[in-house]
Amino acid sequence: MLVLFRGICLASGMLHRDSVALISSLLRPANDARPTFLLGAGCSFSSGIPLAAESVRRLAKQVYADQVLGGKTLPEQIKTSEWMTWLRDQEWFIRGDQQLAENFPLVIEHQLKPEGYRRRALLDLVALRGEIGLGYRSLAELVFRGLAGTILTTNFDIGLSKALNDKQPHIRHVGEVNRSPNDFNEFNLFSRAQIVWLHGKAEQYTDRNLISETRTLDPGLVQLLSPLLESTPLIVIGYRGAEASIMESLLGTSGGLRFRQGIYWCARAGDPVHPDVKALAERVGSNFQLLDIDGFDELLDDLNLELSGIQRFASAATSEVKQFDDQPVMDASWGDIDADLALATLRQYSLKLELGSLDSQQLRPLMRKLGLLVDTDQGERPSVACVLLFGRDIGRDFPHSIISGTIDGKKRRVFGGNLISQYRSILEWIDEEKINPVIKVKGRRQHETRSAYAERGLVELLVNMIVHRDYEAHKPSAIDAVPGRFVRFINPGAQLAEASARLCLDAEGTFEPVQEFSDLRNRALCDVFFGMNAMERAGTGLTDARVLTEQLGGKASFAYPSGQENFAATLYQPEASAGSSTIARDMRPVGTYVLNLLPFASTPPYLVRIEIDGGWDALNKSVPLADAGTFVFEPKTGDLWTLLPEALANTIFASVAKGRAQTIPLAEVEADIVLRRKFSWVLRKHFERHLGGFESRGLIIETKKKGPPAKRAYFTPLKGGNRPIVYDTPSRTGIRREVVKKRGEERNVWFECEGFGYEVVRIANIWGVRIKPFYMFTGRNGVTPLPGYVRTSKATRRIKLDRNANVESDLTFWARFLSQGAQTINIGQHDVGDLLLEGMFVTVDVQEGGLLGDFSAENRRTA
C-alpha cells in the first residue's frame, strides 16, 4: 500500500506475513509494554455485524418500511430503488457511493427517533445471529495467555465481550469500562483483561452515534486513557479512522499524545486511507506505521498460531530455557573443533549476510556472537550446534547423530562425522545411479529420459533432515531408497508445539505442508546452513520438494506417523514409461559437471611486500628461514612476497629489510595484473609445500634443471613395483587404486605413474588450484621421466582408454587424496591461518547451452 500526501509517503511495503511477524514481536513477553488494541467495525464483520455502509443500508430500509410505508411491508421485500431514492432525498444525506458509510451517525440522529425506537433498531442491528468470528476467538486466546490485555472498541456489539467471557473461569474477570456515562470504576492500567467501550455499550443504551455525540469523547475517559496510550504500543485493526471523537479527541491534537511506543495501523491491502489517518501519520511521523493485512480474522488467527504456547505470566525459568543446540557441551573444548572447517564455513556465512570478510583472528569472536561458543562457570565451551557442525569427533558426545543410508534395505552405509561432512557426503551418495536413476517416461508424442527424482527435491529433504532432527533423541536418522518406487527420509523428533497448532494431521499422521511455515527445532543449525546457501528462511522446503516431484510426475508424502516420535518424508518416482500430461518439460538437458578446480575456501585479504637489502646471501645468513614460512623472492628487484601478517613479517625480516613491510589489500591485488601474478605465485608455493608432505607416500614434484617450473607432481614406485593407494568415497570404502604400474619386460622396464599438473588461477572471481590429471611415464628408477617423444607415444595409447567417467573418478581420487578425506585443506602451514582449500572440486549444474556467465562454487544442487 502506497499513499502520498503533502510530500510524505505512507508506504507499507509489507506483506501480511511481515505484519504478523512485527506484531508478534510486540506481543511477546520480552516486550515490557503490552500493546493496546483499538478495534473498529471491520473486526465484527465475520461475527455477522454489518460494516458502516451496510448498516446505513439496513437502517434506511428499516426506517423506510416502518415510517414511510407504515409497517405494511417487510424490509426484506423493499427494492433498492425505493429506499435509496428516499434516502438520497434527505437534506442531511452525503452523496457518493464511497461516502455511504459517512451517513451512519446521520441516519441515527435524523431517523431513529424516539430513543426507544433507536435502541430497538440498534440492538437488532448488532444482534449475534451466528458464531463469533475467528478473530475475536483468537484475540480471546491472546488475552487468556496474557499477551493482550486492554482492548478499546468503537463497536457496541457484544461479540468481543462474549468471546472473552467464554474463557471464564480461565480469565477470572473481564473488566468493562464506559458501558454507561462515567463508568470508569473497573479501569486499570495493568488489567489482565478489560474492554473500553469508546461509544458505550448498546445493551446499556449509552451508544454514542449522534453527530453531536461523536465529535468528542468524554474528557474523563480521554484523561483516563492518555497514560496508557503514551506508554504502550497501539495496534489499530478494522477501523477506518472517520470519527472525530477518536481521531481528534483521543488520537489527535486535542490529546497531545506523541505515541512514543508507536501506532501500528493495520489495513487490508488496497483499501484507501482516510484523510484523518493521513493527518495522524503526518503529526506523529516515524512513530506511525501502516501495515498491510489480509483481514482481522486472518491476522489474529496467524498471531495466535505464531505465539502458540507462549504466556506472558509464565515462570521466568520456563522462558529462559535454551534450545538444545544452544546449550554448552561441558566436556568439549576448542581443541575438539575443526577450526579450519569452521573458518571456511563461517567465511561463506559472513559473505552471505554481508558481514564483511572473516579471518582467523575474527573467527572466535563471531562464533561467540552466533552462540556457537558459550561462557560457562567452567570457562568457554562449544555449544551443541558447534560440536555437531564442526566437531572433530562428534561420536564421542553424540554417538547417535549418524545417518544410515540403505538401498532396498541393503547395502547399508553409515554417514558419520560432523554435520558438514555428512551433508557433503550424502550429496554425492544421492547423486548415484542406484538412488536417482535415469528413467524413460512416455509423453504425448515422445519418450523423455530424465532423472527419477528432482535433485533439488532430494536435497531439500536432506537439509530438512539435518537441521530439524531431534539430537536429544538417541536414534539415528535414516534414508532408504527403494529402486523404482521411492526414497524415504526418516528423522527422530516429535511435533513441536507450533507445528501441532499449524499442521492438520489425519489418522495416520499425514499432513499437507504449510507454505512459508517452519518450526525451528535447532535455530543455530538452521542459521549456519542458511549462511552456507544450503537452505532458505522462507519455510518452503517441503512445499518445494512436493512441487518439484509432482512436476516430474511423481508424488510426495509427509507425516508424523501415529505412535512414533519420527518425521517421515517420502518422494515417489513416476512409473517408468507411464504417461503424464502434467509434466512441464524443458527439453534442454541439465547435467552436473565437476570442474577441475579446487577452490580456496579462505585466503588472507592481503599480500605483503618487503624490499630486501643484500639479496639471497643476506636472507641465508641473517634470517631464520625455518621461521620465515613460505615466501617468494625476486633477486632482480629485491622484492620478497609473503602472506605473513605485516607485524610478524617486520619482526622476522627486520635485519635485512630496507624499510617497513607494505601490506597490499586483496582488492588492490585483484585489480592489478602484475600483483595478481605475485599473489598466484605465493599461493602456488604454499600448495607445493603442502604437496611436499606426501613425499613419504610416493608423490613427488617434478623438477627441471632449466626453464620455468614444471608445475607437475606424480607418484613413484613402491619398492620397485606397483604402488597402491586405498581411499574412501561416499558410496564405497576401502577402494584400492594402483597409482603406479610396472610395465615392460625385465630388460626394458618402465612405469606408468599417475600425476597431475597444477596452477593457481582466478576464475569467475574465485581463486583456486586447477588440477589436470595425467600420466607420467618414467624409466627403470621410477623417477626420471622418459624422453619426450617416448612419453607422447605412450600417452596417446593410454588416452584411448579414458572416458568421462574415468576423468571424474580421477578427480574424485585426487580430491580425497590431497584432502585426506577432510572437508578443507590447510596449506597456510603455521603462520598463515587463513589459507584454506576446499576438500572437493567445484560442481556446477548447466543446461546443454553451456556455461553462461559466472558459475557458482557453492556446494549446492539446483533444480
Side-chain angles (χ1 to χ4, degrees):
M1 180 180 292
L2 178 66
V3 180
L4 296 173
F5 65 99
R6 297 186 187 180
I8 294 177
C9 176
L10 270 183
S12 168
M14 283 190 170
L15 300 174
H16 172 85
R17 66 171 180 268
D18 301 321
S19 301
V20 170
L22 175 58
I23 297 176
S24 294
S25 70
L26 301 174
L27 293 170
R28 291 184 182 277
N31 190 353
D32 292 334
R34 269 194 309 174
T36 299
F37 283 84
L38 170 57
L39 307 183
C43 301
S44 296
F45 179 72
S46 62
S47 300
I49 310 301
L51 300 177
E54 179 61 23
S55 296
V56 171
R57 296 186 185 98
R58 294 189 186 185
L59 290 175
K61 289 170 68 174
Q62 184 70 54
V63 171
Y64 185 80
D66 292 342
Q67 298 180 9
V68 178
L69 300 181
K72 63 183 179 182
T73 305
L74 293 174
E76 294 80 9
Q77 297 175 335
I78 298 174
K79 304 304 180 184
T80 302
S81 61
E82 298 179 75
W83 66 264
M84 197 66 202
T85 301
W86 166 79
L87 183 62
R88 286 174 177 170
D89 288 341
Q90 305 304 311
E91 293 182 358
W92 47 264
F93 181 72
I94 302 173
R95 292 179 173 273
D97 188 58
Q98 299 298 320
Q99 304 298 316
L100 187 60
E102 309 292 337
N103 290 283
F104 182 61
L106 295 170
V107 74
I108 294 175
E109 179 175 18
H110 293 284
Q111 300 300 328
L112 300 189
K113 301 175 183 179
E115 290 184 0
Y117 180 74
R118 182 193 304 170
R119 184 175 186 275
R120 289 194 305 273
L122 291 178
L123 286 176
D124 181 68
L125 183 70
V126 301
L128 291 174
R129 293 180 172 84
E131 278 294 315
I132 297 173
L134 178 61
Y136 278 149
R137 293 293 188 192
S138 298
L139 182 54
E141 284 287 337
L142 296 176
V143 173
F144 165 61
R145 299 203 302 276
L147 304 179
T150 298
I151 303 164
L152 317 181
T153 178
T154 63
N155 305 324
F156 45 94
D157 63 87
I158 62 170
L160 173 61
S161 59
K162 188 175 189 311
L164 291 172
N165 288 323
D166 284 350
K167 284 293 181 182
Q168 293 179 336
H170 306 294
I171 299 179
R172 295 182 181 178
H173 176 70
V174 179
E176 296 192 59
V177 181
N178 201 41
R179 291 167 294 185
S180 57
N182 300 314
D183 176 30
F184 306 149
N185 291 333
E186 294 193 2
F187 180 78
N188 185 337
L189 281 173
F190 309 103
S191 175
R192 287 201 174 189
Q194 65 180 345
I195 303 172
V196 179
W197 302 92
L198 295 175
H199 295 327
K201 192 175 182 182
E203 290 181 330
Q204 275 71 34
Y205 188 57
T206 61
D207 54 279
R208 301 174 61 86
N209 289 287
L210 303 185
I211 291 294
S212 58
E213 296 171 329
T214 56
R215 285 187 179 139
T216 60
L217 285 184
D218 186 326
L221 179 62
V222 173
Q223 184 178 2
L224 199 68
L225 296 176
S226 293
L228 178 73
L229 297 177
E230 191 65 18
S231 59
T232 64
L234 178 63
I235 300 172
V236 183
I237 314 173
Y239 181 56
R240 294 186 308 122
E243 298 168 303
S245 58
I246 305 300
M247 302 305 295
E248 288 296 329
S249 299
L250 190 63
L251 306 182
T253 55
S254 300
L257 301 177
R258 295 298 303 169
F259 299 98
R260 290 180 173 81
Q261 299 299 323
I263 296 178
Y264 301 86
W265 198 286
C266 301
R268 292 170 65 93
D271 283 357
V273 179
H274 195 278
D276 289 347
V277 178
K278 299 176 185 178
L280 173 63
E282 185 177 24
R283 184 175 71 82
V284 301
S286 61
N287 292 336
F288 182 97
Q289 289 195 55
L290 183 65
L291 308 182
D292 280 353
I293 62 172
D294 292 342
F296 171 69
D297 284 8
E298 293 84 353
L299 173 64
L300 268 297
D301 183 42
D302 285 345
L303 289 173
N304 190 36
L305 292 174
E306 183 74 16
L307 298 165
S308 175
I310 297 176
Q311 301 182 48
R312 176 170 289 273
F313 303 110
S315 65
T318 300
S319 61
E320 291 176 1
V321 173
K322 288 184 176 182
Q323 284 193 312
F324 179 68
D325 66 333
D326 285 329
Q327 297 176 16
V329 180
M330 297 307 298
D331 60 349
S333 66
W334 178 250
D336 296 311
I337 303 303
D338 186 339
D340 291 342
L341 178 60
L343 177 61
T345 304
L346 295 179
R347 190 170 184 269
Q348 189 176 7
Y349 175 99
S350 297
L351 294 175
K352 165 86 172 181
L353 273 65
E354 298 181 358
L355 301 178
S357 181
L358 180 71
D359 59 32
S360 56
Q361 299 301 313
Q362 300 164 328
L363 176 61
R364 292 178 73 167
L366 176 63
M367 295 178 72
R368 295 185 189 103
K369 183 178 179 180
L370 298 180
L372 298 173
L373 296 176
V374 184
D375 284 329
T376 71
D377 294 339
Q378 300 178 30
E380 189 173 74
R381 293 289 184 268
S383 70
V384 169
C386 185
V387 172
L388 288 172
L389 288 165
F390 310 124
R392 296 183 185 276
D393 180 17
I394 72 171
R396 184 190 69 184
D397 297 297
F398 305 101
H400 54 281
S401 61
I402 59 173
I403 297 177
S404 171
T406 59
I407 300 176
D408 203 12
K410 306 170 185 176
K411 300 180 181 179
R412 185 171 182 263
R413 282 289 313 277
V414 175
F415 297 94
N418 57 53
L419 300 190
I420 305 297
S421 174
Q422 290 183 22
Y423 170 66
R424 292 175 176 172
S425 296
I426 298 175
L427 276 181
E428 296 184 31
W429 183 67
I430 61 178
D431 217 19
E432 291 185 4
E433 177 72 15
K434 292 180 181 179
I435 301 203
N436 194 9
V438 174
I439 63 173
K440 183 179 288 186
V441 178
K442 185 187 298 181
R444 285 184 176 180
R445 300 182 180 180
Q446 62 182 17
H447 285 84
E448 181 183 357
T449 301
R450 60 162 180 247
S451 296
Y453 305 101
E455 191 173 3
R456 185 66 217 171
L458 293 171
V459 175
E460 290 286 1
L461 296 188
L462 169 61
V463 173
N464 181 280
M465 167 176 279
I466 290 174
V467 302
H468 293 311
R469 71 175 284 183
D470 183 357
Y471 287 95
E472 289 186 276
H474 288 249
K475 295 188 295 184
S477 295
I479 305 174
D480 188 21
V482 178
R485 295 183 60 199
F486 61 78
V487 176
R488 178 168 292 144
F489 297 75
I490 301 176
N491 227 14
Q495 275 184 285
L496 296 177
E498 188 173 357
S500 298
R502 295 293 296 272
L503 303 178
C504 298
L505 275 62
D506 63 17
E508 296 179 352
T510 303
F511 65 89
E512 295 292 325
V514 176
Q515 182 78 355
E516 298 178 354
F517 166 71
S518 182
D519 199 358
L520 305 183
R521 190 189 302 271
N522 305 299
R523 288 187 174 275
L525 298 183
C526 292
D527 184 40
V528 173
F529 268 78
F530 171 77
M532 290 167 52
N533 289 315
M535 65 178 290
E536 297 299 333
R537 288 288 192 193
T540 59
L542 298 187
T543 305
D544 288 348
R546 159 163 286 179
V547 170
L548 291 167
T549 301
E550 291 177 348
Q551 285 178 347
L552 295 183
K555 296 184 295 182
S557 173
F558 310 103
Y560 287 97
S562 179
Q564 305 178 32
E565 293 191 345
N566 288 331
F567 168 73
T570 307
L571 301 183
Y572 297 90
Q573 75 172 59
E575 295 290 334
S577 295
S580 176
S581 61
T582 62
I583 299 174
R585 296 181 177 86
D586 184 342
M587 299 309 294
R588 295 171 298 173
V590 176
T592 299
Y593 291 81
V594 180
L595 304 185
N596 61 329
L597 183 73
L598 283 176
F600 278 97
S602 173
T603 63
Y606 57 80
L607 177 64
V608 171
R609 171 184 174 271
I610 304 174
E611 192 175 359
I612 301 299
D613 186 10
W616 266 115
D617 291 339
L619 284 171
N620 282 321
K621 291 179 182 178
S622 305
V623 175
L625 296 182
D627 299 329
T630 300
F631 62 87
V632 296
F633 178 66
E634 296 179 285
K636 291 182 178 180
T637 63
D639 288 336
L640 182 145
W641 303 91
T642 180
L643 297 177
L644 290 174
E646 181 180 331
L648 182 59
N650 280 324
T651 300
I652 292 176
F653 296 102
S655 60
V656 295
K658 289 185 177 180
R660 304 287 293 177
Q662 175 193 4
T663 297
I664 307 171
L666 184 57
E668 186 177 331
V669 170
E670 293 176 338
D672 186 291
I673 188 171
V674 175
L675 292 176
R676 283 204 304 270
R677 288 172 179 166
K678 309 299 183 188
F679 191 66
S680 173
W681 190 6
V682 178
L683 293 179
R684 176 169 61 81
K685 284 296 183 181
H686 274 276
F687 181 67
E688 289 175 341
R689 189 166 181 177
H690 174 71
L691 294 182
F694 293 107
E695 189 170 345
S696 62
R697 300 190 64 183
L699 185 73
I700 64 171
I701 298 175
E702 182 180 1
T703 58
K704 293 173 61 177
K705 294 181 180 180
K706 297 181 180 180
K711 293 187 284 189
R712 298 196 299 186
Y714 56 92
F715 282 107
T716 56
L718 176 64
K719 297 179 180 179
N722 293 357
R723 178 179 290 276
I725 297 289
V726 178
Y727 68 104
D728 297 336
T729 70
S731 57
R732 295 175 58 193
T733 59
I735 301 173
R736 181 184 176 91
R737 184 182 181 103
E738 298 284 348
V739 296
V740 176
K741 296 177 181 178
K742 189 175 182 179
R743 303 293 193 186
E745 299 176 355
E746 186 61 32
R747 292 184 178 181
N748 191 24
V749 170
W750 55 277
F751 291 92
E752 179 184 292
C753 309
E754 290 196 40
F756 62 91
Y758 56 86
E759 60 179 329
V760 175
V761 295
R762 184 169 180 261
I763 302 175
N765 297 323
I766 299 172
W767 286 97
V769 178
R770 183 156 57 195
I771 300 292
K772 296 181 180 180
F774 77 104
Y775 292 95
M776 174 62 78
F777 303 101
T778 65
R780 179 180 295 273
N781 66 3
V783 175
T784 306
L786 294 173
Y789 68 92
V790 177
R791 296 205 311 268
T792 300
S793 173
K794 296 183 182 299
T796 301
R797 290 195 296 270
R798 185 63 183 81
I799 289 173
K800 290 180 181 179
L801 302 176
D802 277 345
R803 296 294 184 269
N804 286 338
N806 292 344
V807 174
E808 184 171 346
S809 175
D810 288 346
L811 292 177
T812 299
F813 164 72
W814 285 116
R816 295 285 168 173
F817 179 79
L818 294 174
S819 68
Q820 293 298 285
Q823 300 300 311
T824 57
I825 307 171
N826 188 335
I827 65 171
Q829 286 82 49
H830 300 295
D831 298 317
V832 183
D834 303 334
L835 194 55
L836 304 174
L837 281 167
E838 293 279 3
M840 60 193 305
F841 287 98
V842 171
T843 60
V844 59
D845 291 354
V846 297
Q847 291 178 326
E848 194 176 56
L851 288 169
L852 302 178
D854 291 351
F855 62 83
S856 171
E858 297 163 357
N859 184 7
R860 184 182 185 187
R861 301 297 199 270
T862 64

